[in-house]
Amino acid sequence: MEHFEISGGNRLKGKIDIGGAKNAALPILAACILCEDEVLLKNVPDLTDVRSMLTLLNRLGVQSERDDDGTLHIRVVDEMNCHAEYELVSKMRASVCVMGPLLAKRKRAQVAMPGGCAIGYRPVNLHLRGFEALGAEYELSGGDMMIRAKKLKGAEMFLGGAFGPSVTGTANVITAAVLAEGRTVIESAACEPEVTDLADFLNACGARINGQGTPRITIDGVASLKGCTHEIIPDRVETGTYMIASAITNGELELVGGRLEHLIAAVDSLRRIGVIVERSEKGISVSSARRLEPVEITTQPYPGFPTDLQAQTMALLCLADGNSVVTEKIYTDRFHHVAELKRMGANIRREGGTAIIHGVKKLIGAPVMASDLRASAALILAGLIAKGQTRVSRAYHIDRGYLNIEEKLAAVGADIRRVGE
Ligand code: EPU
C-alpha cells in the first residue's frame, strides 16, 4: 500500500492546473447509457473512481476509449446486462448513478444496495422515491435493488430529505425522466454545479431540461437521445483544496481553470479567515495574511459551504488565532480526521455534529491514517505546514479524487513524495 511522506514548512508558490470534476464526470458517464450515438467527453479526470465507473459501464455493454488528447469516446454496444454488482458498488457508491439511465433505456435495473460508508449513513430512499413517482416498481432481493417499469410517466415530485436535497438522487431522477412520457417536475432538486453539468450534457444530446441550478427542475420527455461532445466542468473541491494549501503555507498560488463562482461560500469563509482570494486572468489567485482569524462554518447543500471541503478547512482552522466552530449538517459523522489532526498537535473537541477548534501555534508531523478521500486531503494539508515529517497512509483514498496530488504540490514547492510499501 502506498503512502505520502511530507516534510512541512515550505511556502507554496506558482500555478496548479485544476482538472475536471469527479462528481460531474461520474453521473455523466453513467448517463451515456441513454445515448444512441457516440459521446465525446473532454476533461474527464483519470481518477480511480472514474476507472471504476468505466469498468462498470463496460460490464453494462458501454465501451470507452481515451484518445491521445485525453478525450473519452463512449458508445453503447450491448443493452442486455442491467446488473451493477455489489463488488463494484461497494467500492464506489456513485455506481448507483447507473440506476436512472438503465431504468429509462432498458426498462429495468438491478443495482446492489450500497452498504456502510466511512463518512456516515448514506441512504438512497430519495432516489427510489423519484423512480416510484415516475411509475417504476421496486423490490429488494438478495441485497440488490430491483427496479422495473414497462413505461415511465412524467410526474411532479418533492425530493427533499431530512438533510436537504440529494445530489446523485437528483441526477438519477433526471436521467430516469428524460425519456419518460410527458413532463416531470422535481421540487427540492439539488442545485450543485455537477447537477447543472449533467443537465447541460443531456440537453446537448437532445433532452429538454430546464431549471438546472435551481431547486425546481423541469424535464419534458423526448423519444431518444443522440450523442454529443461535452467538456466536464473544473473540479470545485480540488480547487478549494489547493486554495487551502496556499493559505495554510502562507503561499501564493494561481489555480488555473478554477471557477470562483462555484465556490462562493468557501471563498467567503476563507476571506473571513484572512485569506486573500481573487479572480485571476486564468482562474483564481490565493495568498494569505500571516494571521488567520477563527470562524464559524456550517456545511449545507449548494450554494452553502460544501461538506467536501469541511475537513480541509478544519486543518487550516487548527492554526487560527482563537476558537473556531465547524458544524457538519450533511454527514454528521464526517469527523474521522479529528482524531488524526489531534495526533499532529491540533486542539479539537467534538460535540455531536460540531467540532470546536482551539487554534494552536504549530502542528507537528506524525504518522496518520485517513478513512476517506477528503479526510486524507486534510491530513496532507496539515502535513504541508507541520514541523518535521508527516506520513499519510492509504494513498488510495486520495487517488479516488485528486489526480497526481504529490506532483502538483511538489511542482509549487512542497516537499512531498509517494512511497510504495
Ligand atoms: N440522503 C438521504 N436520502 C437519499 C440520499 C441522500 O437522506 O436518498 C441524505 C444523505 O445521507 C446526506 C444528504 O442527503 O445527509 C446529502 O447526500 P447526497 O445524496 O446529496 O450525497 P451523494 O449524492 O451520495 C454527493 C457527492 C459527495 C458529496 C455529497 C454532498 C458524488 C458522486 N458524490 O454524494 O462527494 O459529499 O454529494 O455534497 O457526487 C466526495 O467527493 O468526497 C463525496 C463524498
Side-chain angles (χ1 to χ4, degrees):
M1 224 185 279
E2 291 175 332
H3 65 268
F4 294 105
E5 276 177 13
I6 309 158
S7 290
N10 292 4
R11 258 191 100 205
L12 303 190
K13 200 164 189 301
K15 294 179 199 290
I16 293 182
D17 286 328
I18 300 303
K22 165 180 85 82
N23 291 346
L26 295 173
I28 289 176
L29 285 167
C32 292
I33 289 173
L34 292 161
C35 299
E36 304 292 337
D37 312 315
E38 186 173 69
V39 172
L40 267 65
L41 290 180
K42 295 178 184 290
N43 208 25
V44 179
D46 191 11
L47 298 163
T48 48
D49 271 11
V50 166
R51 289 179 182 202
S52 299
M53 180 58 86
L54 294 176
T55 302
L56 170 59
L57 288 176
N58 189 267
R59 291 193 196 170
L60 296 172
V62 183
Q63 282 183 353
S64 57
E65 204 181 333
R66 251 185 214 272
D67 68 19
D68 292 344
D69 74 3
T71 304
L72 267 179
H73 295 242
I74 299 154
R75 179 182 278 279
V76 179
V77 292
D78 185 345
E79 298 200 304
M80 280 302 288
N81 187 19
C82 294
H83 188 186
E85 289 165 57
Y86 184 56
E87 169 215 346
L88 281 175
V89 178
S90 60
K91 246 201 230 164
M92 185 185 65
R93 267 191 75 86
S95 305
V96 299
C97 290
V98 300
M99 259 195 304
L102 286 176
L103 180 63
K105 191 69 175 41
R106 305 185 190 178
K107 312 286 177 230
R108 65 195 166 93
Q110 178 179 356
V111 176
M113 182 173 270
C117 176
I119 63 176
Y121 179 51
R122 297 176 76 183
V124 286
N125 60 310
L126 296 172
H127 305 230
L128 299 173
R129 191 200 286 177
F131 297 145
E132 285 180 329
L134 295 171
E137 283 172 16
Y138 163 72
E139 69 174 321
L140 185 68
S141 171
D144 286 345
M145 300 180 283
M146 318 281 283
I147 309 149
R148 52 179 75 238
K150 283 207 180 71
K151 191 173 176 171
L152 293 173
K153 271 190 92 169
E156 283 178 45
M157 63 183 83
F158 175 72
L159 276 196
F163 298 92
S166 165
V167 177
T168 51
T170 303
N172 247 333
V173 176
I174 292 175
T175 48
V178 277
L179 300 180
E181 184 187 289
R183 172 169 286 195
T184 296
V185 181
I186 306 175
E187 299 284 2
S188 197
C191 302
E192 271 70 3
E194 293 77 16
V195 174
T196 303
D197 203 27
L198 169 69
D200 292 346
F201 160 75
L202 290 166
N203 282 345
C205 293
R208 290 174 58 205
I209 305 168
N210 283 293
Q212 57 269 38
T214 78
R216 174 188 283 174
I217 296 181
T218 307
I219 304 138
D220 288 300
V222 296
S224 65
L225 293 184
K226 49 189 177 45
C228 76
T229 300
H230 179 80
E231 182 165 340
I232 304 290
I233 55 169
D235 196 309
R236 65 192 166 102
V237 185
E238 188 191 26
T239 310
T241 302
Y242 290 129
M243 281 180 170
I244 297 168
S246 183
I248 207 166
T249 63
N250 194 29
E252 246 177 86
L253 290 182
E254 184 179 13
L255 308 174
V256 177
R259 288 202 194 155
L260 199 129
E261 63 274 23
H262 288 170
L263 281 156
I264 293 297
V267 167
D268 177 70
S269 296
L270 286 174
R271 285 180 176 153
R272 280 186 288 120
I273 294 171
V275 183
I276 301 156
V277 185
E278 276 159 358
R279 273 204 173 82
S280 68
E281 205 184 311
K282 292 189 173 158
I284 304 173
S285 69
V286 187
S287 55
S288 82
R290 282 197 175 272
R291 189 184 135 97
L292 299 173
E293 301 287 341
V295 291
E296 289 195 16
I297 284 172
T298 301
T299 63
Q300 283 169 339
Y302 191 84
F305 190 95
T307 173
D308 290 344
L309 285 174
Q310 180 258 109
Q312 301 91 313
T313 308
M314 193 184 296
L316 179 66
L317 292 174
C318 287
L319 295 161
D321 197 0
N323 297 338
S324 299
V325 180
V326 171
T327 302
E328 175 56 67
K329 291 263 190 188
I330 308 291
Y331 299 113
T332 48
D333 272 342
R334 199 177 201 177
F335 282 116
H336 286 282
H337 43 286
V338 168
E340 303 302 304
L341 288 169
K342 286 173 86 158
R343 287 178 49 72
M344 300 176 72
N347 184 351
I348 307 171
R349 196 176 82 241
R350 189 184 156 189
E351 280 177 18
T354 295
I356 297 133
I357 303 124
H358 306 279
V360 292
K361 289 267 176 292
K362 63 171 191 288
L363 294 174
I364 304 154
V368 285
M369 183 167 73
S371 50
D372 74 277
L373 167 58
R374 308 304 173 189
S376 308
L379 297 176
I380 288 183
L381 293 173
L384 291 176
I385 194 61
K387 197 169 157 38
Q389 201 174 69
T390 298
R391 175 193 156 119
V392 181
S393 52
R394 302 193 175 175
Y396 64 86
H397 283 304
I398 276 284
D399 296 333
R400 297 185 61 176
Y402 295 89
L403 195 60
N404 303 332
I405 192 168
E406 75 280 19
E407 286 170 24
K408 289 188 180 188
L409 287 172
V412 291
D415 185 343
I416 175 171
R417 60 193 188 108
R418 182 188 289 260
V419 180
E421 270 171 1

